[in-house]
């Protein structure tokens, strides 16, 4: 940074000392030009002139706190000095009211400052013309020009300060926007983790829980140790499912944004393996495929797999008959997935839900709905009048462009 830059920084840090230095500089220049070597030229009282000069320059020390009062006192004292000093050697005292003019244009409300500044310049020029006609020529015109320049400089300083303030405000707004975007992305990632955690882990834990229960009942009369070990497995799996539900409840906050999931994961090419696993666990699945099979985009392929996995797992856990019908219908633009549970959904007491709303805290159904809607599809789930539980999802082959956008 050059010397001028250092001076500017020092003046901003110590504004009051800078004003005092300006006042001393103007007073020194005025005294030297008015009295040094010109003692006989003083037409009035030298003491009164010095006091007037000191007052005209000294009030500049408070120009930032009282700009209008500083202008009035400085201009009056400067005119008194000119009247007492005689001649034109002390015209440098006018630098004091010019500095005050700059301050008024810089700090006072813009329109008011410009009007008062222009009025002050006109009044001083008129006083000079009446009191000292000798100043009516080039010197008075120069004073008017300097007054206009001081006002323009003050107004320019005001505009620059306003511009810098606006730049700082925009930077602050941009920082807040970045913070909001970061929070939004964190929320989306939290929701994605909740969905994948429920889909990938919940499915396997549900199979462990049911299979361990069946094995425990079969071996209870034969091998006591095996039965006890399997009961521990069942208890541990139930605790794991409870912790999983609690984790999902914490991650899935009200008002979470819908976000697409587009990460490498199993798709419909792994459907046969999924069905085989569920059938081996005792779930009878009747699967039908209608239309010509069409390859889905990665996000839609993953979502189709997760919807089928979650729906069949729910049937396996809650169905009273352990039967499910799976239908995949391919048409021109979308894949329709239908999963029916003819036995209905059992409640906590073991009774089937024949009608009514979807049971509360069904994060699997909420997750399926969010996945499908995020890709521009449609999703319905609930009991039918005949007692069956019905899940239907329509997924477009090419999902909508769901790339995240910044908040306006």
């Amino acid at each position: 940074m050059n010397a001028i830059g250092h001076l500017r920084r020092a003046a901003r840090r110590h504004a009051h000392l800078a004003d005092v230095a300006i006042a001393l500089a103007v007073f020194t220049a005025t005294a030297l030009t008015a009295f040094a070597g010109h003692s006989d030229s003083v037409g009035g009282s030298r003491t009164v002139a010095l006091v007037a000069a000191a007052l005209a320059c000294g009030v500049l020390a408070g120009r930032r706190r009282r700009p209008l009062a500083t202008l009035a006192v400085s201009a009056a004292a400067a005119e008194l000095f000119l009247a007492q000093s005689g001649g034109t050697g002390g015209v440098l005292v006018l630098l004091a009211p010019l500095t005050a003019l700059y301050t008024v244009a810089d700090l006072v409300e813009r329109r008011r400052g410009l009007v008062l500044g222009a009025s002050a310049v006109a009044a001083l020029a008129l006083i000079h013309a009446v009191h000292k006609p000798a100043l009516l020529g080039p010197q008075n015109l120069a004073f008017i020009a300097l007054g206009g320049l001081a006002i323009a400089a003050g107004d320019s300083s005001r505009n620059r300060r306003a511009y810098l303030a606006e730049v700082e405000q925009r930077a602050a707004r941009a920082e807040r926007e970045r913070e909001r975007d970061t929070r939004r992305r964190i929320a989306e990632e939290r929701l994605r983790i909740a969905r994948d955690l429920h889909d990938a882990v919940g499915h396997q834990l549900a199979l462990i829980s049911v299979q361990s229960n069946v094995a425990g009942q079969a071996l209870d009369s034969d091998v006591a140790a095996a039965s006890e070990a399997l009961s521990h497995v069942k208890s541990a799996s139930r605790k794991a499912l409870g912790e999983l539900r609690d984790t999902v409840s914490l991650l899935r906050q009200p008002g979470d944004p819908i976000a697409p999931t587009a990460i490498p994961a199993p798709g419909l090419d792994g459907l046969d393996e999924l069905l085989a696993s569920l059938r081996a666990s005792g779930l009878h699945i009747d699967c039908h495929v209608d239309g010509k099979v069409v390859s889905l985009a990665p996000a839609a392929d993953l979502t189709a797999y997760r919807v089928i996995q979650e729906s069949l797992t729910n049937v396996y856990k809650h169905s009273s008959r352990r039967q499910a019908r799976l239908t995949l219908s391919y048409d021109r633009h979308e894949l329709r997935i239908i999963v029916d549970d003819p036995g209905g959904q059992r409640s906590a007491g073991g009774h089937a839900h024949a009608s009514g709303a979807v049971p509360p805290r069904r994060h699997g159904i909420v997750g399926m709905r969010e996945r499908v809607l995020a890709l521009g599809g449609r999703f319905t789930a609930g009991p039918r009048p005949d007692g069956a539980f019905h899940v239907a999802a329509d997924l477009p082959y090419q999902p909508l462009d769901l790339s995240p956008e910044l908040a306006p």
Side-chain angles (χ1 to χ4, degrees):
M1 184 180 295
N2 55 24
I4 296 178
H6 285 294
L7 288 175
R8 287 179 177 174
R9 291 185 59 185
R12 285 194 295 267
R13 288 196 303 266
H14 308 286
H16 181 67
L17 294 179
D19 292 341
V20 171
I22 292 174
L24 288 175
V26 175
F27 175 75
T28 302
T30 300
L32 290 176
T33 56
F35 302 121
H38 303 285
S39 58
D40 296 336
S41 63
V42 178
S45 172
R46 185 188 185 100
T47 302
V48 174
L50 284 174
V51 171
L55 182 60
C57 300
V59 293
L60 295 179
R63 66 187 183 94
R64 300 177 192 272
R65 292 190 295 271
R66 296 286 188 272
L68 293 177
T70 298
L71 175 60
V73 174
S74 180
E79 292 303 318
L80 177 60
F81 172 81
L82 290 176
Q84 293 295 323
S85 64
T88 59
V91 292
L92 286 181
V93 75
L94 294 175
L95 290 176
L98 289 175
T99 303
L101 275 173
Y102 167 87
T103 306
V104 168
D106 184 23
L107 300 181
V108 180
E109 188 272 328
R110 189 170 189 270
R111 178 176 296 180
R112 184 185 178 198
L114 293 178
V115 171
L116 292 177
S119 300
V121 171
L124 290 176
L126 182 61
I127 292 173
H128 294 165
V130 173
H131 183 67
K132 288 192 175 183
L135 295 177
L136 185 59
Q139 289 184 349
N140 205 18
L141 293 177
F143 171 76
I144 295 173
L146 289 174
L149 182 62
I151 294 173
D155 189 59
S156 176
S157 176
R158 173 203 301 280
N159 292 337
R160 182 176 182 275
R161 189 170 58 252
Y163 171 75
L164 293 178
E166 178 64 23
V167 170
E168 292 177 356
Q169 291 177 1
R170 290 182 179 180
R173 285 196 298 268
E175 182 65 24
R176 290 194 296 269
E177 291 293 337
R178 284 193 293 269
E179 291 177 357
R180 280 197 293 267
D181 183 65
T182 299
R183 289 194 296 268
R184 178 178 61 83
R185 291 179 183 274
I186 291 174
E188 291 175 353
E189 181 65 14
R190 186 179 68 245
L191 187 59
R192 184 191 66 80
I193 292 172
R195 285 197 298 259
D196 287 347
L197 184 64
H198 183 277
D199 293 340
V201 181
H203 168 69
Q204 300 299 333
L205 288 178
L207 295 181
I208 292 173
S209 178
V210 176
Q211 288 180 355
S212 62
N213 186 29
V214 173
Q217 293 175 357
L219 297 176
D220 185 51
S221 60
D222 297 333
V223 184
S227 177
E228 182 180 0
L230 287 176
S231 67
H232 289 315
V233 171
K234 178 182 177 182
S235 176
S237 62
R238 283 182 175 177
K239 291 181 180 179
L241 283 171
E243 292 175 356
L244 175 63
R245 286 193 297 269
D246 293 340
T247 302
V248 172
S249 298
L250 291 175
L251 290 174
R252 195 186 303 278
Q253 299 294 335
D256 274 337
I258 296 177
T261 302
I263 60 173
L268 292 180
D269 55 353
L271 181 60
D272 292 339
E273 182 179 354
L274 174 65
L275 297 181
S277 173
L278 290 168
R279 285 166 175 160
S281 301
L283 178 64
H284 178 73
I285 303 173
D286 186 11
C287 180
H288 296 281
V289 179
D290 297 331
K292 182 180 179 181
V293 176
V294 178
S295 297
L296 278 69
D301 195 31
L302 169 63
T303 299
Y305 179 87
R306 293 303 192 198
V307 168
I308 296 172
Q309 180 190 49
E310 179 64 28
S311 301
L312 294 178
T313 301
N314 285 340
V315 174
Y316 185 79
K317 290 191 295 184
H318 304 293
S319 175
S320 59
R321 295 171 55 183
R322 297 287 178 84
Q323 293 182 0
R325 289 195 299 268
L326 171 63
T327 304
L328 302 179
S329 299
Y330 293 87
D331 63 11
R332 294 181 57 187
H333 304 290
E334 61 186 13
L335 167 64
R336 181 170 180 81
I337 301 171
I338 299 176
V339 178
D340 288 315
D341 171 17
Q345 300 283 305
R346 290 179 306 190
S347 63
H351 302 291
H353 288 291
S355 62
V358 177
R361 300 181 61 85
R362 238 357 132 66
H363 293 304
I365 293 178
V366 174
M368 287 189 290
R369 177 178 289 107
E370 290 178 349
R371 285 179 182 274
V372 174
L373 295 182
L375 299 179
R378 298 179 300 278
F379 181 86
T380 57
R384 297 194 309 191
D386 59 1
F389 196 88
H390 178 78
V391 175
D394 297 322
L395 281 171
Y397 299 143
Q398 293 296 329
L400 300 175
D401 182 8
L402 296 171
S403 57
E405 296 181 359
L406 291 177

